[in-house]
Amino acid sequence: MLIPGTHYRLAFTQSVLALLQVINAPTHYRLDYPDLSLILALVRGGSLARASALLKVDVSTVFRAVRRLEAALGQQLFEKSGAGYLPTTLAQTLAEQAERAEQALEAARIGAEQGGEVISGTVRLTCTDSVLQSLLLPALARFMPSYPALTIELCTSNDFANLSRRDADIALRLTRTPPEHLVGRRLADISYRVCASAAYVQSVDSHDLAALTWIAPDDFLPDHPTVAWRRQQLPGVTPSYRCNSMLSVTELVRAGLGVAALPDFLIGDGLQPLTEPLHGYDTALWLLTRPDCRALRSVVTLFDELGLALKLP
C-alpha cells in the first residue's frame, strides 16, 4: 500500500531527474515536489497573491519560499516587474515539465478510479473561427466528457502553417486540395450560397445582386471561394464591409447590414439563401494531421472521435 503522498513523488521522479539536468548550481540542490508546485503556481499566477491563492498559503510564505529556492539553486527564477513576477527561461522550463507531470498524475488518478487505461496528454488543434464555432465546439461537447485526462489546446487560424511548423497536431481545414505532406480524411463537401437576413431582404430588391450591399472577406483571405466567385460573377461590385474571418462576415449579415456568400454550416436561424449553391466554387472540410502524429495515442484518439462527430450529411 502506498503511503499517502508517495504516489506524487513516484510520478514526479522521472520529471525531476530531467529537470536537474538543466540546472548548473554549485550547491547541487535536489528539487522536490513542493519546489515544482511553487514554480508552477507562480508561473501560472504571475504574482505572489495569485500564487498564494493557488497554493492555499499566505503571500509571505510564497515570497520566502521563492527566495530560498533561488538561493539553493544559485540561479534566478523570476524577475520582479510592474506586471508581476516574470519567469526566467529556467523557471519556464521547470514549469512546463511540472505541468506535464501534473497531467500524468491526473491521468493516473482517473485510471485508478475508473479501473482501466486512460487516454491522456495534450493535443494541439487548429481550425478557423467559423469551423470552431459552428462545427467543432458542438462535437467536443458530445465526446470530450469521456476523456477527462485529455487536454486540448485550440488555435484559430486560416492556413496550414501550424501543422507544417509543428505548432499543431490536428487541423480542420476547408480546402479542395490539402497539402500532400499531411494525412487525413475528407469529412464533407461544403457549398456556398448568397444569404441575407429577413429584415434586409424586405428592404431591397434581392433579385439584383449587384445592387445590394456586400460583405466579404478582406485581403487576409484573398483566395477564398466566395471572393473568386464575386470577382468572376459580379466584377463591378465593391464590398461595403470587409472582415478577416467568415464568422465576422456572417455576423454582419445576421445584423442586416448586407449580403454575403456563406458556407452551408453557417446558414442558421435568421438567415435566408438568395441563390442556389454557387456551382464550381464548392470546397470540402478536411481533418488533417502529420504522419508522425499517428504514433501518438492521444492524437489518434481525438482524430478518430472528430472524424465520427464531424461527418456532415
Side-chain angles (χ1 to χ4, degrees), residues 134-135 174 187-190 264-265 285 307-313:
S134 299
L135 301 177
L174 295 174
L187 298 181
D189 293 324
I190 305 295
D264 294 335
F265 60 85
L285 177 65
L308 294 172
L310 293 173
K311 278 287 186 181
L312 302 179

Side-chain angles (χ1 to χ4, degrees), residues 7-8 11-12 33 100-110:
H7 61 293
Y8 289 102
F12 270 94
Y33 177 67
R100 283 194 286 270
E102 182 183 68
Q103 292 171 354
L105 277 176
E106 179 66 9
R109 182 189 65 79
I110 295 172

Side-chain angles (χ1 to χ4, degrees), residues 266-288:
L266 287 179
I267 304 174
D269 294 339
L271 297 179
Q272 59 185 67
L274 303 182
T275 67
E276 293 297 316
L278 308 182
H279 180 69
Y281 294 90
D282 55 320
T283 186
L285 177 65
W286 281 84
L287 177 64
L288 301 163

Side-chain angles (χ1 to χ4, degrees), residues 123-127 153-155 157 159-173 182 288-290 292-293 299:
V123 181
R124 294 162 297 178
L125 175 60
T126 180
C127 63
E153 294 182 354
L154 289 170
C155 171
S157 71
D159 57 46
F160 293 98
N162 308 77
L163 282 175
S164 301
R165 293 194 306 264
R166 299 177 180 268
D167 292 337
D169 305 309
I170 295 175
L172 281 165
R173 286 286 179 262
L182 302 178
L288 301 163
T289 188
R290 303 189 312 272
D292 59 290
C293 285
V299 174

Side-chain angles (χ1 to χ4, degrees), residues 122-188:
T122 298
V123 181
R124 294 162 297 178
L125 175 60
T126 180
C127 63
T128 63
D129 56 358
S130 58
V131 169
L132 173 68
Q133 186 72 26
S134 299
L135 301 177
L136 180 59
L137 292 184
L140 293 178
R142 289 196 295 272
F143 68 77
M144 278 304 291
S146 300
Y147 300 97
L150 188 61
T151 300
I152 296 180
E153 294 182 354
L154 289 170
C155 171
T156 55
S157 71
N158 292 287
D159 57 46
F160 293 98
N162 308 77
L163 282 175
S164 301
R165 293 194 306 264
R166 299 177 180 268
D167 292 337
D169 305 309
I170 295 175
L172 281 165
R173 286 286 179 262
L174 295 174
T175 181
R176 285 185 173 182
T177 54
E180 294 183 356
H181 65 280
L182 302 178
V183 295
R185 304 176 189 172
R186 184 187 180 111
L187 298 181

Side-chain angles (χ1 to χ4, degrees), residues 3-46:
I3 300 172
T6 304
H7 61 293
Y8 289 102
R9 293 185 180 276
L10 291 175
F12 270 94
T13 298
Q14 291 184 338
S15 294
V16 171
L17 291 176
L19 296 176
L20 289 174
Q21 295 177 2
V22 303
I23 299 175
N24 183 22
T27 58
H28 300 292
Y29 178 79
R30 293 184 65 83
L31 286 168
D32 59 16
Y33 177 67
D35 295 331
L36 295 177
S37 297
L38 170 68
I39 295 169
L40 186 56
L42 196 48
V43 169
R44 284 174 170 171

Side-chain angles (χ1 to χ4, degrees), residues 43-280:
V43 169
R44 284 174 170 171
S47 70
L48 292 176
R50 286 192 287 269
S52 67
L54 291 171
L55 295 170
K56 295 180 172 58
V57 298
D58 58 58
V59 172
S60 60
T61 299
V62 176
F63 176 76
R64 290 194 300 269
V66 172
R67 295 290 297 272
R68 281 197 300 267
L69 183 56
E70 289 182 330
L73 294 175
Q75 298 189 58
Q76 186 176 7
L77 294 172
F78 296 90
E79 297 178 0
K80 184 68 172 67
S81 73
Y85 275 67
L86 303 179
T88 62
T89 301
L90 173 59
Q92 192 64 51
T93 300
L94 294 172
E96 289 171 1
Q97 292 284 352
E99 191 168 50
R100 283 194 286 270
E102 182 183 68
Q103 292 171 354
L105 277 176
E106 179 66 9
R109 182 189 65 79
I110 295 172
E113 291 177 354
Q114 297 181 351
E117 192 172 3
V118 174
I119 304 298
S120 64
T122 298
V123 181
R124 294 162 297 178
L125 175 60
T126 180
C127 63
T128 63
D129 56 358
S130 58
V131 169
L132 173 68
Q133 186 72 26
S134 299
L135 301 177
L136 180 59
L137 292 184
L140 293 178
R142 289 196 295 272
F143 68 77
M144 278 304 291
S146 300
Y147 300 97
L150 188 61
T151 300
I152 296 180
E153 294 182 354
L154 289 170
C155 171
T156 55
S157 71
N158 292 287
D159 57 46
F160 293 98
N162 308 77
L163 282 175
S164 301
R165 293 194 306 264
R166 299 177 180 268
D167 292 337
D169 305 309
I170 295 175
L172 281 165
R173 286 286 179 262
L174 295 174
T175 181
R176 285 185 173 182
T177 54
E180 294 183 356
H181 65 280
L182 302 178
V183 295
R185 304 176 189 172
R186 184 187 180 111
L187 298 181
D189 293 324
I190 305 295
S191 60
Y192 297 85
R193 301 168 188 255
V194 177
C195 298
S197 69
Y200 182 81
V201 170
Q202 293 175 2
S203 66
V204 298
D205 176 8
S206 59
H207 295 91
D208 186 3
L209 295 180
L212 303 179
T213 300
W214 277 83
I215 305 163
D218 63 13
D219 292 338
F220 190 65
L221 299 169
D223 301 319
H224 197 273
T226 63
V227 174
W229 173 84
R230 193 190 72 251
R231 288 173 176 169
Q232 177 68 30
Q233 301 297 325
L234 302 170
V237 166
T238 299
S240 299
Y241 302 92
R242 297 179 185 270
C243 308
N244 65 354
S245 79
M246 286 305 296
L247 187 61
S248 299
V249 170
T250 304
E251 290 308 309
L252 266 66
V253 174
R254 196 183 306 279
L257 295 176
V259 301
L262 301 176
D264 294 335
F265 60 85
L266 287 179
I267 304 174
D269 294 339
L271 297 179
Q272 59 185 67
L274 303 182
T275 67
E276 293 297 316
L278 308 182
H279 180 69

